[in-house]
Amino acid sequence: MIKILLPLGLAFIMFSLGLGLKLADFRRVMTRPDAIALGLLAQILLLPLTAWLIATGLNLAPEAAVGLMILAACPGGVTAGMVTHLARGETALSISLTALTSIAAFISVPLIVGISLTHFMGESATVQLPLGQTVGGLFLITLLPVTLGLWLNETERIGVRHTVVIHRVATGLFLLIVLFTFASQWPAMAKHFPSVGPAALLLNLITMATGAALGALVRLDSAGRVALSMECGMQNSALGITLAVSLLAAPALAVPAVIYAFLMNITAFAVIAVRRARHQPVAG
């Protein structure tokens, strides 16, 4: 049941994001190829490099090191768009980067994971992403719902009142998904947090800061910097867990992804709280 409800919930969240966007938002993103390029650079190169340095510097156990690299190799998560929206960031930029990094993952993930297995564990393995699952998920959970919401908003086929209700329901669903993740993965997190938690937290904080710094480098406004920061920090941990458990048949490699999923939501909610506090309307 959860395997059905979770993708449906994520698709509804993306649909709600589409309702808040216009074609002009994506056209504006396309006028900033430097932001797109730096976002891809951060996700595909800088994030795995940071994970490598952390794993080596903290002298992580081989399984933990490879697990951290698997996580870092994964593209941005679907929920990055929702977090960006809640943090008053540039949602169109976040969604665009999620789609692009997911496509690039077919080359980057096998390469990074394969090298990591050889370096940290002395094992050679051929890693292939589940093509049907990845492409299908990208289309059905991300692109199709966003496109439908965008079309309804662009053609004004849905009223403002209905849009507000849908946004509220989507926010509630997002919170439920986060809470379910916490509850279902708590035993593994509690057991391994002392050994893996510091590395996962360090990776999250550094990559979020990297995204914001790169946005400042190309003079993006605060909304654009938030989008890059969230896109770098919110990884597709579900894909990392799938790679470790299903493809590599090594559940121990999934531990960093499980812990990171917990931590990335904590730091994301902190950013959301700060951003919303700064953008409160002035009374009177």
Side-chain angles (χ1 to χ4, degrees):
M1 181 65 71
I2 293 299
K3 290 183 178 180
I4 297 175
L5 293 179
L6 185 58
L8 287 176
L10 291 173
F12 186 82
I13 289 171
M14 299 308 294
F15 169 70
S16 76
L17 294 180
L19 286 176
L21 296 171
K22 293 278 192 179
L23 283 174
D25 296 320
F26 288 97
R27 293 194 191 102
R28 185 172 61 252
V29 168
M30 291 301 106
T31 65
R32 295 302 308 265
D34 51 354
I36 293 289
L38 285 179
L40 290 173
L41 173 69
Q43 276 284 94
I44 296 172
L45 182 60
L46 297 183
L47 204 159
L49 178 59
T50 301
W52 186 289
L53 293 174
I54 291 173
T56 303
L58 295 182
N59 196 27
L60 292 183
E63 292 83 0
V66 173
L68 197 70
M69 292 302 302
I70 290 174
L71 171 75
C74 291
V78 174
T79 54
M82 186 63 177
V83 170
T84 300
H85 167 74
L86 293 175
R88 306 286 198 261
E90 191 170 351
T91 309
L93 176 58
S94 176
I95 292 173
S96 300
L97 284 171
T98 296
L100 290 172
T101 55
S102 296
I103 294 170
F106 287 104
I107 297 175
S108 60
V109 170
L111 182 63
I112 293 169
V113 174
I115 293 174
S116 301
L117 282 167
T118 302
H119 178 78
F120 289 107
M121 298 182 68
E123 298 179 5
S124 59
T126 301
V127 181
Q128 291 184 331
L129 285 182
L131 181 62
Q133 178 182 339
T134 306
V135 173
L138 178 64
F139 179 72
L140 294 176
I141 298 177
T142 304
L143 300 181
L144 183 61
V146 168
T147 301
L148 178 59
L150 179 68
W151 175 72
L152 289 173
N153 188 30
E154 193 75 34
T155 57
E156 298 182 349
R157 293 175 182 267
I158 189 168
V160 174
R161 183 180 301 177
H162 292 96
T163 299
V164 170
V165 171
I166 290 172
H167 281 321
R168 288 176 178 173
V169 172
T171 302
L173 275 175
F174 171 68
L175 293 175
L176 284 175
I177 289 172
V178 172
L179 290 174
F180 171 77
T181 301
F182 289 177
S184 62
Q185 304 296 339
W186 185 256
M189 287 190 293
K191 180 180 179 181
H192 298 283
F193 194 89
S195 60
V196 182
L201 180 60
L202 194 58
L203 177 64
N204 179 249
L205 294 176
I206 291 177
T207 52
M208 287 176 64
T210 298
L214 290 175
L217 183 65
V218 293
R219 298 184 179 181
L220 289 180
D221 59 15
S222 61
R225 295 197 298 272
V226 166
L228 282 184
S229 179
M230 293 298 99
E231 194 64 31
C232 290
M234 300 292 290
Q235 288 300 96
N236 191 338
S237 55
L239 177 59
I241 294 170
T242 300
L243 284 171
V245 175
S246 299
L247 294 184
L248 298 175
L253 301 183
V255 169
V258 170
I259 292 176
Y260 191 93
F262 171 78
L263 292 172
M264 73 179 185
N265 283 293
I266 297 297
T267 55
F269 280 122
V271 173
I272 290 170
V274 171
R275 288 280 297 175
R276 294 178 80 89
R278 289 180 177 177
H279 290 77
Q280 287 291 340
V282 179

